[in-house]
Amino acid sequence: MYQFKVHKADKLSTALDLFNASDEPAYIAGGHTLIPTMKQRLSAPSDVIDLATIPGLDAITLVGDTLQIGAMATHAKVAASSLVQEHCAALANLAGGIGDRQVRYRGTIGGSLANNDPAADYPAAALGLGAQIVTDRRTIPSDTFFKAMFETALEPDEIIQAIHFPQVDQAVYLKFPNPASRYAMVGVMLTRTAGETRIAITGAAASVFRAATFETALTADFSVSAIEAVTLSAETLNTDMHASAEYRAHLCKVLIQRGVEALTA
Amino acid sequence: METIELKINGRKRTLHCLPNATLVEVLRDQLHLTGTHVGCDTTQCGACTIHVDGCAVKACTVLAVRSDGSDVMTIEGLAENEASHPMQEAFKACHGLQCGFCTPGMIMSAVDLVNKGCALEPSAIREALSGNICRCTGYQNIVAAVMQGASEMQEQSS
């Protein structure tokens, strides 16, 4: 790592001021993406602004029907939260399957969403569950939040404060992890609310996306037979050393089928 | 240079480090606590696993300055009054190692999973140890050691 300055922010406004007064600033949440990229010198911030020192940013609360998770809540905290388990078990399970035990004690939901790694789990949760991303200045619907690989709608200095998950009737997350990295080769978040099906897929393309043709078919008829003839084009999917685009397209459909089976069992 | 205060293995220490120093660098290079190993230095292998405020973390991916005020325990702090911790004894008894490089991290993760009430069956232990990589063994004896160490830890605390 190159040398840098560390600043401990005590509130959001201080963090913003520090960010805007620095040459090459970076916010740090759990640091489990930023530190490795800094070690590789892919990132070389002049100033690292610590968000962990801002009190209250990791709270998990239920307001009405909405599950509100603070951006600095770690994966371990979300997985172990009885509130999350009770109101959205699929989200707790997803958090408990991210990375490994040690990573889950440090990595945060806000950090994961702001990073938008193409194979991360939380983007599928936010998009599939129709979450709202609440920042220091506005609320961004998940449908417009994820822009491209490692790109989101966030302004450079914008800070995620919390993620609001509306109540859904049913949800399941199925992941086919890469056995070495444990990142999703394909991860599918399938949810149902008032008969409407939403499907968000991570790991398969440059950024998380909704499987519209499957959603339409399943909203009309929520059964495995309804999607028998539906396919996902491999054209925009990733090919890498782990899997071809065609294989990923196949995995997407298999996981969607399994999700439908799980929710109709 | 930044000044940080840490409790390390029960003892308060005031340390001076550069902002880009990782916790494992401070532990090994400044405090000579070389039981914590650096394997991959990329958050994969878990050889550098220590406990920070009671949670197993990879010390290669934690900035030392961010640990200011934390309670840190390394493999050296696990033994009490010169007597090995039950998990250390179990790794010895079950031969849960070959070269031993990954062992300190394995043991720190194993103690964490027992402390946090993880299910003590082989599949759950394998899942909970997925952040620790051993390139010598087939994990069989490691899993056996964790099961034995866990039951001894539970016996001691009951």
Side-chain angles (χ1 to χ4, degrees):
Chain A
M1 272 183 277
Y2 289 114
Q3 204 46 263
F4 52 86
K5 287 187 200 132
V6 171
H7 307 275
K8 294 175 182 179
D10 56 354
K11 51 184 191 285
L12 282 173
S13 59
T14 319
L16 283 167
D17 290 345
L18 286 163
F19 191 99
N20 289 311
S22 305
D23 289 338
E24 286 284 335
Y27 293 122
I28 190 166
H32 272 43
T33 297
L34 184 62
I35 303 283
T37 55
M38 284 166 69
K39 282 185 181 181
Q40 293 174 351
R41 298 185 171 177
L42 295 170
S43 164
S46 62
D47 296 79
V48 171
I49 299 151
D50 193 347
L51 303 178
T53 41
I54 302 175
L57 266 188
D58 65 345
I60 300 177
T61 54
L62 188 72
V63 178
D65 273 350
T66 305
L67 193 58
Q68 304 192 349
I69 301 183
M72 289 296 286
T74 62
H75 311 327
K77 182 171 175 162
V78 173
S81 161
S82 52
L83 212 53
V84 181
Q85 286 168 1
E86 197 180 319
H87 291 273
C88 193
L91 183 59
N93 292 341
L94 175 145
I98 298 173
D100 56 52
R101 192 171 181 81
Q102 294 97 312
V103 167
R104 290 193 290 271
Y105 283 128
R106 302 290 297 194
T108 66
I109 185 169
S112 173
L113 292 176
N115 190 48
N116 193 22
D117 188 297
D121 298 289
Y122 267 132
L127 189 60
L129 290 161
Q132 304 277 329
I133 319 295
V134 180
T135 76
D136 59 298
R137 64 200 67 170
R138 58 185 167 148
T139 297
I140 309 170
S142 55
D143 274 317
T144 58
F145 182 80
F146 303 102
K147 293 292 185 195
M149 185 187 282
F150 298 114
E151 271 183 56
T152 68
L154 293 170
E155 299 292 329
D157 63 341
E158 196 168 5
I159 302 172
I160 302 177
Q161 268 185 283
I163 299 89
H164 292 186
F165 292 94
Q167 185 73 52
V168 296
D169 296 339
Q170 283 187 301
V172 65
Y173 181 65
L174 291 155
K175 167 175 164 179
F176 194 93
N178 177 289
S181 73
R182 304 180 67 79
Y183 270 100
M185 301 245 284
V186 170
V188 171
M189 177 59 93
L190 196 156
T191 70
R192 294 184 84 195
T193 311
E196 194 189 326
T197 300
R198 269 177 86 101
I199 300 169
I201 297 178
T202 188
S207 178
V208 66
F209 64 96
R210 285 177 64 181
T213 49
F214 283 92
E215 288 181 349
T216 309
L218 288 167
T219 296
D221 172 14
F222 196 78
S223 68
V224 175
S225 57
I227 51 171
E228 216 165 297
V230 182
T231 52
L232 190 72
S233 164
E235 210 169 304
T236 56
L237 303 190
N238 297 338
T239 289
D240 56 26
M241 65 186 285
H242 306 301
S244 66
E246 290 73 23
Y247 180 64
R248 280 191 164 88
H250 177 72
L251 269 183
C252 291
K253 181 164 176 174
V254 169
L255 293 184
I256 292 168
Q257 284 170 333
R258 288 182 189 171
V260 173
E261 281 166 6
L263 295 186
T264 47
Chain B
M1 278 286 181
E2 305 276 334
T3 302
I4 54 170
E5 287 192 11
L6 292 173
K7 197 167 159 192
I8 296 177
N9 297 332
R11 193 171 147 206
K12 274 198 178 161
R13 307 287 296 248
T14 303
L15 300 168
H16 306 284
C17 61
L18 289 167
N20 67 350
T22 60
L23 193 49
V24 75
E25 287 169 342
V26 170
L27 291 171
R28 287 179 57 88
D29 301 344
Q30 280 194 43
L31 300 170
H32 308 297
L33 292 170
T34 52
T36 304
H37 293 168
V38 180
C40 66
D41 206 19
T42 57
T43 339
Q44 319 277 329
C45 80
C48 65
T49 301
I50 59 167
H51 294 183
V52 175
D53 296 326
C55 294
V57 301
K58 296 180 178 178
C60 76
T61 311
V62 177
L63 293 177
V65 290
R66 298 188 82 204
S67 313
D68 190 15
S70 296
D71 191 343
V72 173
M73 189 192 275
T74 68
I75 189 77
E76 289 91 345
L78 215 50
E80 275 183 53
N81 306 322
E82 305 290 311
S84 299
H85 186 278
M87 194 59 79
Q88 290 172 307
E89 285 297 328
F91 268 72
K92 205 163 111 186
C94 298
H95 197 59
L97 59 131
Q98 281 183 29
C99 85
F101 193 86
C102 70
T103 313
M106 285 283 178
I107 290 177
M108 296 311 281
S109 280
V111 170
D112 176 75
L113 74 89
V114 177
N115 284 343
K116 299 290 161 57
C118 171
L120 297 174
E121 54 198 53
S123 63
I125 290 170
R126 282 175 186 272
E127 177 61 35
L129 285 180
S130 62
N132 293 79
I133 295 172
C134 171
R135 294 290 81 155
C136 301
T137 75
Y139 298 92
Q140 297 288 353
N141 288 359
I142 292 173
V143 174
V146 175
M147 291 179 76
Q148 182 171 320
S151 65
E152 278 159 24
M153 280 172 71
Q154 286 168 339
E155 234 166 74
Q156 279 194 6
S157 65
S158 65

